[in-house]
Amino acid sequence: MVRQVCGISGGKDSSALAVYMRDKVSDMEYFFCDTGAELPETYAYLAKLEVVLGSKITRLNSTRGFDHYFEVFRGALPSPQMRWCTNLLKIKPLEDWLGDEEVVSYVAIRADEKNRTGHVSTKPNIKTVFPFVDEGVDHAGVIKILDNAGINLPEYYKWRTRSGCYFCFFQRKAEWVGLADNHPELFKKAVAIEQKVLKDAGVSGDADFGAQGMKSGQYTWSQGETLTQLLDRRDDIMASHEKSLKRAKENRKNVPLVDVLSDALDDDDDKTPCTVCHL
């Protein structure tokens, strides 16, 4: 028997796909790769989603967590160039869970972003399909699916538009400020991890990461500065973000606020996130 599986990241697209497939595939298995470093809002949203689906979402945990692999990689932070967190805390637990059984994996790439690439396993027993691309479901369609299901969006969408770990290096500057405001204890944990890397590398926490030859990506979560330095620039960051919000509102009238926020954050920093974590 071929297993049918649908991964949920805690973001709007994968959640909408789970609801969309609910009545189409009766034996669908829903799963969530839990790094142990997710936002509280994500866990709360998964609980709501289970009620809507009428099905349990299987939590897949790595046998060893972030702290273990952080030491294995000699205190090197994960980064866009070295995404060991994605490989070891997301992809490996999934492929271990699936084993060698024949599987169809449903991935939530939308029709309006079909040029993006979701995770496609290299294992020959896993076939990846993209229902939203095949059936023309775009961003507006995703929002409609969630609205019709009465589940709406995760609470973190008020200040952040991507799911994933609280310390995700793909966060924009304004989202780091949002983390500090909404979850100061998690922000402090992210700072502590970063400070350990700096200390072990013999780099001063006040270092000028704009200096020639200083590669901040080796030592810091946010490009070009430490989180402490970032928070010191809070007023400038949020002033710039408010300008981006104003431009987004003027350019896209009569659209949901989440779209305005997303446009503004992309204007702040438009680096493409990892689709394994952020769909």
Side-chain angles (χ1 to χ4, degrees), residues 40-51:
E41 294 96 326
T42 298
Y43 295 119
Y45 194 68
L46 290 175
K48 289 175 59 177
L49 191 55
E50 286 182 325
V51 174

Side-chain angles (χ1 to χ4, degrees), residues 108-121:
I109 298 292
R110 302 191 312 265
D112 55 323
E113 55 177 13
K114 59 186 178 182
N115 292 328
R116 290 178 68 188
T117 303
H119 171 61
V120 177
S121 176

Side-chain angles (χ1 to χ4, degrees), residues 128-184:
T128 303
V129 296
F130 305 94
F132 283 166
V133 173
D134 295 339
E135 299 177 34
V137 178
D138 58 10
H139 180 272
V142 161
I143 299 300
K144 184 177 180 180
I145 290 168
L146 295 176
D147 285 347
N148 288 344
I151 192 171
N152 301 314
L153 295 169
E155 286 296 312
Y156 65 74
Y157 272 88
K158 293 177 180 178
W159 53 277
R160 164 175 161 160
T161 62
R162 296 170 179 171
S163 56
C165 297
Y166 69 85
F167 49 62
C168 183
F169 46 81
F170 277 116
Q171 286 183 96
R172 294 84 149 195
K173 306 286 187 179
E175 290 176 312
W176 278 112
V177 173
L179 180 68
D181 288 348
N182 289 274
H183 298 290

Side-chain angles (χ1 to χ4, degrees), residues 35 65 91-92 108 149 182 215:
T35 64
I91 296 174
K92 187 177 186 301
N182 289 274
K215 297 180 179 179

Side-chain angles (χ1 to χ4, degrees), residues 44-273:
Y45 194 68
L46 290 175
K48 289 175 59 177
L49 191 55
E50 286 182 325
V51 174
V52 171
L53 295 174
S55 180
K56 186 73 174 175
I57 299 171
T58 299
R59 269 65 164 181
L60 305 181
N61 300 91
S62 172
T63 54
R64 299 178 184 273
F66 173 84
D67 290 344
H68 167 77
Y69 289 115
F70 182 54
E71 294 300 327
V72 168
F73 283 88
R74 299 182 182 277
L77 293 176
S79 68
Q81 294 74 37
M82 189 171 66
R83 302 181 192 180
W84 58 258
C85 52
T86 302
N87 291 328
L88 296 171
L89 300 178
K90 295 280 186 177
I91 296 174
K92 187 177 186 301
L94 170 59
E95 295 191 342
D96 288 347
W97 178 59
L98 295 176
D100 295 323
E101 296 179 78
E102 192 173 351
V103 175
V104 176
S105 175
Y106 295 78
V107 175
I109 298 292
R110 302 191 312 265
D112 55 323
E113 55 177 13
K114 59 186 178 182
N115 292 328
R116 290 178 68 188
T117 303
H119 171 61
V120 177
S121 176
T122 57
K123 295 188 68 174
N125 60 304
I126 301 175
K127 176 184 177 181
T128 303
V129 296
F130 305 94
F132 283 166
V133 173
D134 295 339
E135 299 177 34
V137 178
D138 58 10
H139 180 272
V142 161
I143 299 300
K144 184 177 180 180
I145 290 168
L146 295 176
D147 285 347
N148 288 344
I151 192 171
N152 301 314
L153 295 169
E155 286 296 312
Y156 65 74
Y157 272 88
K158 293 177 180 178
W159 53 277
R160 164 175 161 160
T161 62
R162 296 170 179 171
S163 56
C165 297
Y166 69 85
F167 49 62
C168 183
F169 46 81
F170 277 116
Q171 286 183 96
R172 294 84 149 195
K173 306 286 187 179
E175 290 176 312
W176 278 112
V177 173
L179 180 68
D181 288 348
N182 289 274
H183 298 290
E185 73 288 355
L186 295 181
F187 186 85
K188 287 178 182 177
K189 286 184 178 181
V191 169
I193 294 170
E194 185 179 74
Q195 291 297 319
K196 182 180 186 306
V197 172
L198 291 167
K199 181 179 179 180
D200 291 349
V203 178
S204 168
D206 297 323
D208 179 6
F209 289 98
Q212 185 175 3
M214 181 67 77
K215 297 180 179 179
S216 64
Q218 296 176 347
Y219 313 111
T220 64
W221 288 118
S222 183
Q223 185 66 33
E225 60 190 340
T226 67
L227 293 183
T228 301
Q229 291 168 337
L230 183 153
L231 208 57
D232 286 342
R233 296 195 306 108
R234 173 200 176 90
D235 290 347
D236 290 340
I237 290 171
M238 296 313 295
S240 177
H241 179 59
E242 288 300 323
K243 290 180 181 178
S244 296
L245 274 175
K246 184 178 179 180
R247 282 195 299 270
K249 288 177 182 178
E250 292 172 349
N251 293 334
R252 299 193 66 186
K253 292 180 172 61
N254 301 317
V255 298
L257 288 177
V258 66
D259 294 347
V260 174
L261 176 60
S262 181
D263 283 356
L265 288 169
D266 283 344
D267 190 35
D268 295 340
D269 179 355
D270 64 354
K271 58 178 175 285
T272 302

